[in-house]
Amino acid sequence: MAAAGAGRLRRAASALLLRSPRLPARELSAPARLYHKKVVDHYENPRNVGSLDKTSKNVGTGLVGAPACGDVMKLQIQVDEKGKIVDARFKTFGCGSAIASSSLATEWVKGKTVEEALTIKNTDIAKELCLPPVKLHCSMLAEDAIKAALADYKLKQEPKKGEAEK
Amino acid sequence: MLLRSAWRRAASAVTAARGARPAVPTRELRLRVADHAPSGTAAAPEVEAVLRPLYMDVQATTPLDPRVLDAMLPYLVNYYGNPHSRTHAYGWESEAAVERARQQVASLIGADPREIIFTSGATESNNIAVKELEAAIQPDTSLVSVMTVNNEIGVKQPIAEIGRICSSKKVYFHTDAAQAVGKIPLDVNDMKIDLMSISGHKIYGPKGVGAIYIRRRPRVRVEALQSGGGQERGLRSGTVPTPLVVGMGAACEVAQQEMEYDHERISKLAERLTQKIMKSLPDVVMNGDPEQHYPGCINLSFAYVEGESLLMALKDVALSSGSACTSASLEPSYVLRAIGTDEDLAHSSIRFGIGRFTTEEEVDFTVEKCIHHVKRLREMSPLWEMVQDGIDLKSIKWTQH
């Protein structure tokens, strides 16, 4: 008698638990909780992914990071005769935050002059993407990539020097 | 008994609304809320039809097998006695359940039930086993401790050979079998194992429980980590949690029944996953020995794509890159480094876990998404671009930041 009651109880409890949808669905389905939606957006809706002609005199190419570190960014800028950056492209081997940082960097340099682009700080990138402390180095690498691209462009503008690029 | 009648009323309302329950335990825990909402029941709340990611991370933890939950529930609701109470039926029935579970665990690994001590998990068991080394004063006492199946790359260690060597040299042999128990056949006597750590939640049992196997003949002496009322032969004081232990026993019994079938099914699914991926994508490396390998743990490195970005892209699948234990650090997996994997490939590794409840559709979905996103991430990768242009990546002088 008790066994039958216990059996029914067991089945009822199983049934109740298995079918209960009362848990808030939103909290359970948060796979990207680690990533801010701005970071995810840069991957899902990519902008400025690609390459420019690196042999061109108006294109500066910056390649920073190392595969052994798990972070490599290539950032290219195209500058017009007036010294304004008219186009930028990037490619990144790295985590979601690295991809977003370099993507945001290309968005920000467009329309700036070469001098203005030098003022872009990694802290601004990190703030815009709400990067957690453990991912701050991604924004630092993005800043390095911008500076490397600008340095490469400047080097190309110097007369009688060959196209020195990495 | 107000509780019981309230349950009964609620249960009959549920079963009336829901109709017949399926006879075979199914894993309808994916909370696709739209499927479960019964029509015409006023109590059903407004819920969004939200899907959860597929679960492909069984090395981190496993879901409860419904049969395990069925075994545990009476001990959570009704038979709540302390198993160490000697003076009444509540204690007696609880103790009987604990001893039954002990027998179930022992029979899975070919041990005597007197050699099984329940703990809070494999980590505690490991600590007990290794502390024995520190407790022994004689300089010639030593201990060999080896994982049976690695949780990151699924490699199986030659346990029987190691056991034979240790036994001949009179050295204690401990193995952490958390990922192996119930998945590959283990026998502590054939393999000459002296100490073994077992984890409940790695074999579709509850979390918070494990066991340590301690050989009696010849006797292995270990020192207790926690002192108190002397339960579990004085080796692990503290009230034994009957519901958890019953769950663990049930999980071991189910594992013993299902081991062969599970292994065959999981091998087929693993083969399917690896073949499909390797056929569609170039430059994919499987980490770990292909022969001595547990099929349910597949660790692949996708060259020129970073692991965490792939995890972000594969947001509909729960996966892992490197060991879950080290996920908070920025270091690549120490296991991959130890087997000599290049560091960039270590950063590119993903672990796919296939378990008892993984379906072919889940594998196909995962494979399809994986192929799609690896291709997409390679298009975004400067390393892939350089390799396509014929540049040897090893010849580049990279900057450090």
Side-chain angles (χ1 to χ4, degrees):
Chain A
M1 175 66 196
R8 244 178 290 151
L9 175 71
R10 203 184 314 148
R11 276 198 299 280
S14 292
L16 270 172
L17 285 164
L18 280 170
R19 75 164 291 280
S20 163
R22 281 163 222 284
L23 303 153
R26 221 153 312 143
E27 264 158 56
L28 291 167
S29 67
R33 205 163 47 209
L34 286 171
Y35 292 102
H36 197 272
K37 61 178 189 283
K38 284 185 184 165
V39 169
V40 177
D41 182 54
H42 278 275
Y43 170 70
E44 307 221 305
N45 302 303
R47 40 217 111 151
N48 306 327
V49 173
S51 297
L52 300 166
D53 177 13
K54 67 174 185 250
T55 57
S56 158
K57 195 157 180 277
N58 296 328
V59 169
T61 303
L63 182 66
V64 295
C69 299
D71 257 321
V72 175
M73 290 182 191
K74 182 183 83 151
L75 196 143
Q76 292 179 300
I77 50 169
Q78 182 158 14
V79 189
D80 66 9
E81 314 77 36
K82 296 199 205 78
K84 199 160 89 139
I85 300 172
V86 293
D87 203 5
R89 292 271 186 274
F90 82 99
K91 280 201 177 188
T92 295
F93 163 83
C95 67
S97 304
I99 293 175
S101 299
S102 42
S103 173
L104 189 65
T106 55
E107 287 195 308
W108 278 1
V109 295
K110 275 194 194 174
K112 290 194 163 60
T113 64
V114 167
E115 283 71 34
E116 285 167 352
L118 275 172
T119 64
I120 295 177
K121 285 261 148 304
N122 70 297
T123 42
D124 300 327
I125 297 177
K127 200 159 109 176
E128 173 65 24
L129 294 172
C130 306
L131 295 183
V134 70
K135 293 291 180 189
L136 283 179
H137 67 280
C138 299
S139 63
M140 268 165 35
L141 195 64
E143 187 190 319
D144 290 348
I146 297 174
K147 295 202 161 51
L150 292 166
D152 181 59
Y153 169 74
K154 286 223 175 74
L155 203 63
K156 281 183 175 180
Q157 303 313 302
E158 275 168 43
K160 292 203 176 74
K161 287 247 162 81
E163 294 90 17
E165 76 245 340
K166 282 203 139 107
Chain B
M1 298 307 95
L2 199 62
L3 178 67
R4 201 185 283 187
S5 53
W7 275 102
R8 256 202 224 123
R9 251 182 283 124
S12 51
V14 165
T15 41
R18 197 157 175 244
R21 211 171 147 260
V24 175
T26 51
R27 280 259 311 123
E28 294 168 354
L29 288 173
R30 216 160 296 152
L31 286 174
R32 285 173 199 243
V33 183
D35 295 347
H36 283 272
S39 53
T41 304
E46 280 301 313
V47 285
E48 313 160 24
V50 181
L51 295 179
R52 298 180 68 196
L54 300 185
Y55 193 69
M56 300 284 290
D57 201 15
V58 286
Q59 281 73 33
T61 191
T62 52
L64 268 191
D65 190 302
R67 294 164 280 193
V68 168
L69 181 62
D70 279 353
M72 286 172 71
L73 265 172
Y75 297 93
L76 285 164
V77 178
N78 206 34
Y79 305 129
Y80 45 79
N82 184 320
H84 314 292
S85 300
R86 306 232 97 134
T87 57
H88 48 68
Y90 288 90
W92 303 330
E93 70 202 1
S94 205
E95 189 193 7
V98 167
E99 291 314 309
R100 222 170 20 245
R102 205 185 298 275
Q103 172 62 58
Q104 286 166 327
V105 176
S107 93
L108 182 60
I109 57 172
D112 186 289
R114 291 169 292 184
E115 296 171 311
I116 303 289
I117 305 290
F118 287 113
T119 62
S120 64
T123 302
E124 186 187 340
S125 303
N126 287 339
N127 274 273
I128 294 174
V130 173
K131 192 161 189 274
E132 190 274 343
L133 173 66
E134 294 177 304
I137 307 163
Q138 293 90 344
D140 56 338
T141 309
S142 56
L143 171 76
V144 167
S145 176
V146 174
M147 241 176 176
T148 320
V149 168
N150 183 276
N151 58 311
E152 280 198 48
I153 56 182
V155 159
K156 290 197 302 208
Q157 299 298 339
I159 294 296
E161 278 90 80
I162 299 174
R164 203 173 26 87
I165 297 172
C166 287
S167 167
S168 64
K169 299 227 187 289
K170 300 276 187 288
V171 163
Y172 292 123
F173 177 34
H174 163 256
T175 181
D176 182 345
Q179 297 283 351
V181 165
K183 302 196 172 113
I184 57 171
L186 291 173
D187 190 297
V188 292
N189 293 315
D190 291 347
M191 297 172 170
K192 300 199 176 9
I193 297 170
D194 296 312
L195 295 151
M196 181 193 280
S197 300
I198 304 168
S199 173
H201 73 111
K202 299 287 163 64
I203 55 172
Y204 310 94
K207 296 168 182 50
V209 68
I212 178 168
Y213 159 78
I214 304 170
R215 178 172 286 282
R216 285 177 81 238
R217 292 216 169 93
R219 183 170 288 281
V220 175
R221 291 206 179 284
V222 295
E223 192 173 288
L225 276 183
Q226 53 191 62
S227 56
Q231 289 86 1
E232 293 296 277
R233 296 167 199 277
L235 290 169
R236 202 269 179 183
S237 293
T239 304
V240 172
T242 310
L244 293 178
V245 155
V246 164
M248 178 150 173
C252 287
E253 186 168 294
V254 168
Q256 199 161 9
Q257 290 162 3
E258 306 276 3
M259 199 188 309
E260 203 183 313
Y261 176 77
D262 275 353
H263 194 274
E264 201 185 302
R265 206 186 69 94
I266 289 172
S267 302
K268 281 211 198 85
L269 286 177
E271 183 73 18
R272 190 182 173 92
L273 187 145
T274 348
Q275 284 309 315
K276 277 190 158 189
I277 289 182
M278 299 242 179
K279 211 170 48 165
S280 314
L281 291 171
D283 301 310
V284 179
V285 175
M286 177 151 129
N287 297 308
D289 188 297
E291 305 294 313
Q292 290 306 317
H293 183 253
Y294 171 66
C297 177
I298 304 167
N299 192 303
L300 298 175
S301 279
F302 299 93
Y304 321 120
V305 171
E306 203 267 344
E308 213 187 337
S309 62
L310 188 53
L311 290 183
M312 174 183 74
L314 290 173
K315 60 183 183 182
D316 295 324
V317 186
L319 291 163
S320 187
S321 170
S323 162
C325 307
T326 55
S327 62
S329 75
L330 299 175
E331 292 294 315
S333 154
Y334 74 95
V335 171
L336 292 180
R337 194 185 298 151
I339 62 171
T341 309
D342 284 339
E343 283 203 297
D344 54 337
L345 279 181
H347 278 287
S348 309
S349 73
I350 301 283
R351 176 184 70 188
F352 298 88
I354 298 180
R356 183 183 293 162
F357 301 111
T358 311
T359 63
E360 196 175 284
E361 289 87 355
E362 287 176 337
V363 167
D364 287 344
F365 180 87
T366 304
V367 163
E368 191 191 304
K369 290 280 168 193
C370 185
I371 293 171
H372 170 78
H373 286 289
V374 166
K375 283 187 174 155
R376 213 166 143 199
L377 283 163
R378 278 183 173 166
E379 291 299 308
M380 295 173 81
S381 168
L383 304 181
W384 176 250
E385 187 186 49
M386 288 157 101
V387 163
Q388 301 301 96
D389 290 340
I391 302 173
D392 176 16
L393 294 180
K394 298 216 192 295
S395 66
I396 309 261
K397 267 184 58 161
W398 302 100
T399 65
Q400 300 293 325
H401 60 99

